[in-house]
């Protein structure tokens, strides 16, 4: 399979890790829950982990690759106060200010 479409995801947070098994068919995520989150890639989509916090979804069908990357991202979307979660590599999160201190 010659991959033409790539979608990179970045895990931001303490203890957030990813690993793949079965030649890129299964993705396991540690996201701070009491259990590992498991994803099975659809046909014509492969998943690779270059680092424990960098995921690459590749394939030949743009729709399937983007749908799978979106499903992985929905597991822990980035939050706006600290910026933790799963984000696309080219995504910029505008952080909100916290509560103001009374003086």
């Amino acid at each position: 399979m010659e991959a033409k479409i790539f979608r990179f995801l970045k895990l931001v947070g303490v203890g957030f890790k990813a690993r793949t098994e079965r030649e890129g068919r299964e993705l396991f995520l540690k996201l701070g829950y009491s259990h590992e989150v498991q994803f099975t890639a659809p046909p014509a989509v492969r998943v690779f982990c270059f680092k424990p916090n960098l995921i690459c979804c590749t394939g030949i069908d743009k729709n399937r690759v983007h749908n799978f990357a979106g499903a992985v991202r929905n597991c822990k979307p980035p939050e706006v106060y600290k910026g933790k979660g799963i984000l696309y590599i080219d995504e910029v999160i505008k952080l909100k200010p916290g509560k103001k201190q009374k003086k």
Side-chain angles (χ1 to χ4, degrees):
M1 179 176 90
E2 184 180 333
K4 296 188 179 194
I5 306 296
F6 297 93
R7 196 68 168 153
F8 290 94
L9 298 165
K10 181 171 58 170
L11 277 70
V12 178
V14 177
F16 289 6
K17 293 181 183 176
R19 65 181 172 89
T20 56
E21 288 186 0
R22 292 185 9 171
E23 291 122 22
R25 286 284 181 200
E26 289 185 359
L27 175 68
F28 294 93
L29 300 172
K30 290 185 180 179
L31 299 173
Y33 299 129
S34 61
H35 58 283
E36 278 190 338
V37 180
Q38 178 183 0
F39 283 98
T40 303
V45 175
R46 292 278 190 263
V47 184
F48 301 103
C49 292
F50 297 118
K51 295 179 184 176
N53 63 349
L54 187 63
I55 303 168
C56 176
C57 303
T58 66
I60 55 174
D61 187 7
K62 181 178 180 179
N63 194 20
R64 286 186 181 176
V65 171
H66 286 246
N67 282 344
F68 180 71
V72 171
R73 184 179 182 271
N74 279 340
C75 201
K76 193 86 156 179
E79 52 109 0
V80 294
Y81 291 104
K82 293 186 180 178
K84 294 182 180 182
I86 302 174
L87 16 127
Y88 298 118
I89 200 86
D90 55 351
E91 184 178 15
V92 177
I93 302 295
K94 184 178 177 188
L95 297 179
K96 288 185 177 180
K99 290 184 177 180
K100 300 282 183 180
Q101 291 282 338
K102 287 188 177 181
K103 290 187 177 181

